[in-house]
Amino acid sequence: MKFSADPSLVEDIARQAPKAREGHYDELRGHSNALLPHWQLFFQELGPSGLSDLDQRTLELNRQVRDNGITYNVYADEFGPQRPWSVDLFPLIITPKSWQEIQSGILQRAKLLESIIKDVYGPQNLLKENLVPPALVYGHPGYLRSMYGANFDSRKHLHIIAFDLARTPEGKWSVLSQRTQAPSGLGYLLENRNLIARQFPKAYERMNIAPLASTYRDLIDALKQESPAGTNAHIALLTPGPYNETYFEHAYLARYLGLTLVEGGDLTVRDQRLYLKTVRGLAPVDILLKRVDDEFLDPLELRTDSTLGVPGLLQVIRAGNVVMANAPGSAFLESPALLGFLPGISERLLGEKIQLPAMDTWWCGERAALDSAIPNLRNSAIKPTYPNGDGHQTYESTLGLDLSQAHLDEWVGKITRQPDEHTVQTYIPLAKMPTWLNALNVNDPSLIEPRSYMLRVFALSDESGGWQVLPGGLARIASDDSGIASMQRGGSSADVWVQGNTTEPLLETHPHQEANKDHILRKRIVTSRAAENLYWFGRYTERSENILRLAKLYLENINSEYTPSHSLWVWLEHLCNQYGLVPEGVPSNFSQGDTRHRVFERTLINSLSMTENVTSVGFNLNAMKRTASTVRERLSIEQWSTINHCIEEFQQDCHKAIFNNDFSSTLAIDALKRASISLAAITGAQTDRMTRDDGWQLLSIGRHIERLSFLTTVLDSAIRMGLLYNPNTDSSGYTALLNLFDSTITFQAQHQQSREIAPLVSLLVLDDENPRSLAWVTKALRARLSKLAGTQRNNPDELTRSVSNPQEYDLYNLSCTDAFGNFMNLTNCLSAVSQSAWHVSDEISARYFNLIHKSDYSVQL
């Protein structure tokens, strides 16, 4: 089906886009047959090509999702594939009138929920007056008795609240649920906005869509205002870690808002204060945004098996020494049963009727509600009153419409036997919004399909102590006709555009703030965990480069027109075994006699992209990615994208090389060359796109230690295996060494075709201008260590001094052999340099990661 960009485009869409089924509100048409005015404007701004280029825009959108590394993993797995975030091409467009209905209702509900939680953990008038059944508070696992009476003074319990809304068939909005513990979506909706606004820039500008950024800034300012530290408050975002399904969002928000991304192990409690473990000591944390459910926050008082929280954290909160968003203990507010009691509570606490209604909800723990719910079960949703916990049932929400009469009778029995465990909520068919289908799907004649959706909007704290509603949201689109819009069930998402009231462009406004003379310029804090991962990020990057070069050298030599010498062959296979390019026990090519079989070579090619049983290139590339993923908030989008592209392309290229058991050396070499180019981009980003803080110093130190280890091992093994015994007669080993040191061009420029030992030693060991020489690497390593320790080069600390300097050795002595023809001085030099590198590695781990040398860990001022 083709569309042209003529004046009848809107009419064409109205005729050919299917209507929503009866009983569902149609976002595209409302209650008429024609497209609503805002959708007409949207389609008119598509440009001359109309709908004909939307497939290309979809492909571009998916590419951006992959490049930006946007993921949502239902079951995150350390070694499993990550699921790309799913976002539809069309936004959900909300008119000013409709948004006003949402905004006023959400502001009231946010104020109401804050009043409820203050009362429940304070005077408890609602319980005394029977406006809330005690079972929904005291019986809920999310009510934390240990937080009763906690010191909050004028601070809020809640700062971020999410509300899930549905539009009724009449076009009115209704609340389905609310999330207060650790609501997700703030990062995803912001990324959705960046993606979709880029696809439809003219429509976005013409339709006067409300911007989002100022609302996020207001939230941060509001949190700082509650903290005694004020504008200098240190804010951290607590995440469960990189294997959480929404970790991308945690890293994205930390980077966007300028927060320190931390895990529970990064934090510690001292004297009822919360501190962050950094490479410089303990840094106080004044504000904590949490993305961890309450029960995991403190293993001393909550779940004892939790490794995600911080022992003693609840005591810090009770003492009023940290602002937490949101404060623990709000989970009882998420119970669907509470929705039925909010109208009465609103009149008692606010003196106002509820503006934005919820669906009719019955908590079956009350006899009258049970009697009303049972007859309506067929047209309702059955939901658990409490989350999974000791003494409570857990089950998936169930729609009565999907049940046979027999199953419906079973549910009646369950509810009657344990009424308080069940909440019944009237079900309405979800409204449907237009979604774009890939035109290449020839089995479906329609390109625009209406699909059910649910809208999540957010209420955020503002500086005045009140609330603001983020002018947008996250639309979750159902993947089928089940009526359930859930990302965990394979659903998609959509950006949410809120139109302004005028045709003038909406500009972001933010109150002018006077410069704070007391503002402290903070260096970026580096946690011990982040430091360790950056260190290993550097090591795995360098290691990948080194063994990639080794694998390429082996394949190029084995397939050269010149037959490799025996010593070179043995040496290369020894290195391939030592660095895990092939599993143990694979017979040598040279020892087989008939080299046509080349088992060693074929095994190496087959193992290049493997991640198990070998530590080949694929293993180290994936290890590099895993360490990088734990510090994603510190990496640019381009840097992360390059890492992903490198691994994906390498796996594809290696698959081609072994396709049909061909084991093509030519294709394998091509794969290694392409990966080498990508690695050059990755190392370039590490060098030029990262600030020189403590984390970068450790990343660089890791690379230099890994380089020292590899180069000294390579040169030492070459000497011990006689590769340099007579280079003028057999120069293949000489040439191979220059290749592994990545110094061939430099050597030829300085020494032309010389094959003497002294020039080789001079360039590879003593030349402090060659970044691949031992002297240059040790010099750079000492500089990094000195910078990390905060000492001067003329007064280095003990760790800096421990790095052995090859330039302490004389070139003549290093180039001479003893009476037995051995380069003993050179091997002794290599041994000293190698041992000092490993000593530094151990000391770095003890000093900055394991904190063995900091039992009296100091507080950073």
Side-chain angles (χ1 to χ4, degrees):
M1 182 174 63
K2 299 291 185 181
F3 288 95
S4 60
D6 55 38
S8 63
L9 172 62
V10 173
E11 288 78 2
D12 287 343
I13 296 172
R15 282 196 306 269
Q16 300 187 53
K19 296 181 180 179
R21 293 202 312 271
E22 186 176 354
H24 299 262
Y25 182 79
D26 191 334
E27 289 288 347
L28 193 61
R29 295 179 174 82
H31 296 104
S32 66
N33 291 322
L35 268 60
L36 292 172
H38 51 282
W39 280 107
Q40 292 186 30
L41 179 58
F42 174 82
F43 287 118
Q44 287 170 355
E45 293 299 323
L46 291 183
S49 57
L51 299 183
S52 61
D53 72 338
L54 292 192
D55 282 338
Q56 186 59 42
R57 296 194 201 194
T58 300
L59 294 175
E60 172 65 17
L61 176 63
N62 293 334
R63 185 192 64 78
Q64 289 178 3
V65 169
R66 291 193 303 271
D67 287 351
N68 293 359
I70 312 173
T71 57
Y72 179 87
N73 301 321
V74 179
Y75 299 106
D77 178 11
E78 179 179 2
F79 298 102
Q82 293 184 315
R83 172 186 168 188
W85 176 248
S86 180
V87 54
D88 195 76
L89 188 62
F90 290 157
L92 172 66
I93 304 172
I94 301 180
T95 62
K97 180 180 179 182
S98 185
W99 181 250
Q100 181 58 42
E101 176 188 346
I102 292 173
Q103 183 174 251
S104 60
I106 292 301
L107 288 174
Q108 182 194 48
R109 282 181 172 269
K111 182 180 178 182
L112 177 60
L113 292 181
E114 176 65 24
S115 299
I116 291 173
I117 196 169
K118 278 188 177 295
D119 178 79
V120 165
Y121 287 103
Q124 297 191 336
N125 292 323
L126 294 176
L127 292 167
K128 295 173 183 175
E129 298 173 20
N130 294 319
L131 289 170
V132 178
L136 295 184
V137 177
Y138 298 137
H140 197 288
Y143 172 74
L144 304 181
R145 288 170 172 77
S146 56
M147 291 300 297
Y148 177 76
N151 176 23
F152 276 80
D153 296 329
S154 59
R155 291 186 287 121
K156 286 183 176 179
H157 286 70
L158 306 176
H159 298 86
I160 304 170
I161 310 175
F163 295 88
D164 291 326
L165 309 181
R167 203 195 279 261
T168 67
E170 295 74 33
K172 297 295 184 180
W173 293 99
S174 183
V175 176
L176 295 179
S177 62
Q178 52 207 20
R179 295 288 179 263
T180 58
Q181 281 193 89
S184 62
L186 280 175
Y188 286 118
L189 74 85
L190 192 59
E191 185 70 329
N192 279 1
R193 172 60 54 85
N194 294 334
L195 293 170
I196 303 305
R198 191 178 304 157
Q199 294 300 324
F200 304 106
K202 292 182 179 180
Y204 182 82
E205 181 179 359
R206 177 78 184 278
M207 299 182 74
N208 203 27
I209 304 305
L212 303 172
S214 62
T215 312
Y216 288 82
R217 291 198 299 268
D218 288 342
L219 169 65
I220 296 301
D221 291 342
L223 291 169
K224 288 182 176 181
Q225 191 167 287
E226 288 195 10
S227 172
T231 58
N232 296 315
H234 176 205
I235 309 178
L237 191 155
L238 179 62
T239 173
Y243 304 127
N244 181 266
E245 65 267 22
T246 58
Y247 179 73
F248 164 81
E249 179 174 71
H250 308 167
Y252 183 90
L253 281 175
R255 182 169 58 240
Y256 180 78
L257 299 175
L259 314 181
T260 305
L261 187 65
V262 301
E263 297 179 24
D266 297 329
L267 301 167
T268 187
V269 171
R270 301 287 176 86
D271 298 325
Q272 299 187 46
R273 289 294 308 273
L274 185 64
Y275 292 96
L276 182 62
K277 303 172 189 174
T278 79
V279 295
R280 296 289 179 184
L282 294 180
V285 176
D286 305 296
I287 302 169
L288 191 64
L289 270 71
K290 68 178 177 71
R291 291 303 303 272
V292 176
D293 285 345
D294 291 350
E295 61 180 320
F296 297 99
L297 284 176
D298 188 342
L300 288 183
E301 299 192 40
L302 302 172
R303 283 188 58 155
T304 57
D305 61 342
S306 172
T307 59
L308 305 178
V310 188
L313 180 58
L314 259 60
Q315 181 55 35
V316 178
I317 299 169
R318 285 194 294 265
N321 291 332
V322 69
V323 176
M324 178 170 280
N326 289 332
S330 69
F332 74 93
L333 294 174
E334 298 181 351
S335 174
L338 192 64
L339 292 174
F341 297 92
L342 291 184
I345 297 174
S346 177
E347 293 189 21
R348 167 63 178 82
L349 293 182
L350 306 181
E352 301 171 354
K353 291 184 178 296
I354 284 285
Q355 298 179 32
L356 188 64
M359 298 307 302
D360 291 339
T361 305
W362 299 276
W363 176 54
C364 297
E366 291 185 325
R367 184 66 194 184
L370 175 64
D371 292 341
S372 299
I374 294 299
N376 290 291
L377 213 55
R378 171 64 71 183
N379 299 313
S380 300
I382 307 168
K383 299 183 177 182
T385 301
Y386 309 103
N388 184 22
D390 293 340
H392 293 291
Q393 291 189 25
T394 178
Y395 54 89
E396 292 286 338
S397 296
T398 303
L399 296 180
L401 291 173
D402 296 337
L403 300 175
S404 65
Q405 186 59 50
H407 285 131
L408 195 65
D409 292 340
E410 288 182 13
W411 273 106
V412 171
K414 292 178 184 178
I415 296 172
T416 304
R417 287 190 296 271
Q418 291 184 302
D420 59 314
E421 298 284 340
H422 300 85
T423 297
V424 175
Q425 188 178 71
T426 297
Y427 170 76
I428 58 168
L430 295 178
K432 290 184 178 288
M433 65 171 286
T435 62
W436 177 253
L437 299 181
N438 189 336
L440 299 179
N441 182 8
V442 296
N443 294 324
D444 195 325
S446 172
L447 295 177
I448 299 178
E449 179 182 74
R451 289 193 176 178
S452 299
Y453 78 92
M454 186 184 299
L455 173 63
R456 172 166 288 191
V457 295
F458 293 85
L460 308 178
S461 293
D462 64 15
E463 287 187 275
S464 67
W467 295 90
Q468 57 185 335
V469 182
L470 187 72
L474 184 68
R476 290 174 290 170
I477 305 172
S479 58
D480 50 35
D481 293 331
S482 65
I484 299 177
S486 169
M487 301 302 295
Q488 292 186 342
R489 298 192 182 188
S492 182
S493 70
D495 188 17
V496 178
W497 289 9
V498 175
Q499 286 187 285
N501 281 304
T502 68
T503 56
E504 294 296 322
L506 280 174
L507 301 177
E508 289 198 72
T509 58
H510 201 62
H512 175 71
Q513 295 179 346
E514 296 293 332
N516 183 0
K517 296 181 180 180
D518 299 325
H519 184 77
I520 300 174
L521 295 178
R522 295 181 183 270
K523 289 186 176 181
R524 186 172 189 178
I525 290 177
V526 182
T527 67
S528 297
R529 176 189 56 82
E532 183 172 13
N533 281 289
L534 285 165
Y535 172 78
W536 280 101
F537 180 32
R539 289 198 62 169
Y540 279 124
T541 304
E542 183 72 23
R543 190 177 297 180
S544 297
E545 280 194 306
N546 292 333
I547 65 169
L548 186 151
R549 188 176 294 109
L550 172 60
K552 187 163 76 72
L553 177 65
Y554 176 84
L555 292 175
E556 288 175 341
N557 274 271
I558 207 71
N559 292 281
S560 171
E561 59 180 315
Y562 304 105
T563 303
S565 66
H566 177 266
S567 57
L568 175 61
W569 205 330
V570 171
W571 176 64
L572 287 176
E573 291 191 351
H574 166 76
L575 290 176
C576 288
N577 276 309
Q578 182 172 355
Y579 284 98
L581 286 169
V582 295
E584 295 183 3
V586 176
S588 166
N589 274 8
F590 188 80
S591 66
Q592 296 172 59
D594 181 4
T595 58
R596 289 175 300 175
H597 294 91
R598 293 187 169 184
V599 174
F600 194 94
E601 176 189 0
R602 292 161 67 91
T603 304
L604 185 147
I605 295 172
N606 187 57
S607 301
L608 282 177
S609 63
M610 293 176 61
T611 58
E612 297 179 0
N613 302 322
V614 290
T615 53
S616 189
V617 180
F619 175 90
N620 283 285
L621 287 176
N622 278 278
M624 176 187 69
K625 179 180 177 180
R626 285 197 300 274
T627 53
S629 71
T630 64
V631 289
R632 277 197 63 179
E633 77 282 6
R634 304 178 67 91
L635 307 180
S636 67
I637 292 175
E638 294 80 9
Q639 191 172 359
W640 179 252
S641 175
T642 303
I643 293 172
N644 281 318
H645 276 302
C646 174
I647 295 174
E648 290 173 5
E649 290 180 355
F650 184 68
Q651 290 174 339
Q652 293 169 4
D653 291 343
C654 287
H655 178 73
K656 294 176 184 177
I658 63 174
F659 186 69
N660 287 333
N661 292 325
D662 185 41
F663 301 102
S664 169
S665 295
T666 302
L667 292 178
I669 291 171
D670 288 343
L672 293 167
K673 287 180 179 178
R674 284 162 58 88
S676 180
I677 294 172
S678 295
L679 277 170
I682 293 170
T683 57
Q686 291 176 354
T687 303
D688 295 332
R689 299 294 182 90
M690 300 180 71
T691 55
R692 269 38 177 185
D693 58 10
D694 291 338
W696 184 87
Q697 301 296 336
L698 283 160
L699 183 152
S700 184
I701 288 169
R703 290 200 61 188
H704 288 118
I705 288 176
E706 193 66 36
R707 186 175 299 181
L708 273 184
S709 171
F710 181 77
L711 296 181
T712 54
T713 299
V714 163
L715 185 52
D716 183 67
S717 63
I719 295 169
R720 295 181 185 277
M721 300 180 74
L723 207 66
L724 302 178
Y725 181 72
N726 191 357
N728 286 311
T729 301
D730 178 11
S731 63
S732 59
Y734 198 100
T735 303
L737 264 177
L738 288 171
N739 189 307
L740 283 181
F741 271 73
D742 197 18
S743 299
T744 302
I745 295 176
T746 305
F747 183 84
Q748 290 176 348
Q750 294 180 3
H751 305 288
Q752 291 74 50
Q753 294 299 316
S754 172
R755 291 298 180 262
E756 300 298 327
I757 296 299
L760 185 74
V761 173
S762 174
L763 180 65
L764 303 188
V765 179
L766 299 178
D767 189 347
D768 62 3
E769 294 183 355
N770 175 19
R772 305 294 297 183
S773 79
L774 302 185
W776 187 95
V777 178
T778 55
K779 177 182 175 181
L781 180 57
R782 285 195 299 271
R784 302 286 182 267
L785 291 168
S786 180
K787 180 78 171 178
L788 183 65
T791 58
Q792 302 297 322
R793 291 190 180 184
N794 57 1
N795 185 30
D797 74 338
E798 179 183 351
L799 188 56
T800 307
R801 288 193 298 267
S802 68
V803 180
S804 180
N805 183 5
Q807 291 182 315
E808 296 174 355
Y809 295 82
D810 179 76
L811 175 60
Y812 175 79
N813 290 328
L814 291 178
S815 305
C816 290
T817 60
D818 60 13
F820 300 98
N822 298 319
F823 294 91
M824 290 305 300
N825 292 328
L826 182 53
T827 55
N828 289 337
C829 170
L830 296 176
S831 177
V833 171
S834 178
Q835 289 179 14
S836 69
W838 291 117
H839 170 72
V840 169
S841 178
D842 292 340
E843 288 297 308
I844 284 286
S845 179
R847 181 180 296 190
Y848 295 107
F849 309 150
N850 299 330
L851 312 178
I852 293 174
H853 298 327
K854 294 189 177 183
S855 56
D856 297 324
Y857 214 30
S858 60
V859 173
Q860 181 181 339
L861 299 177

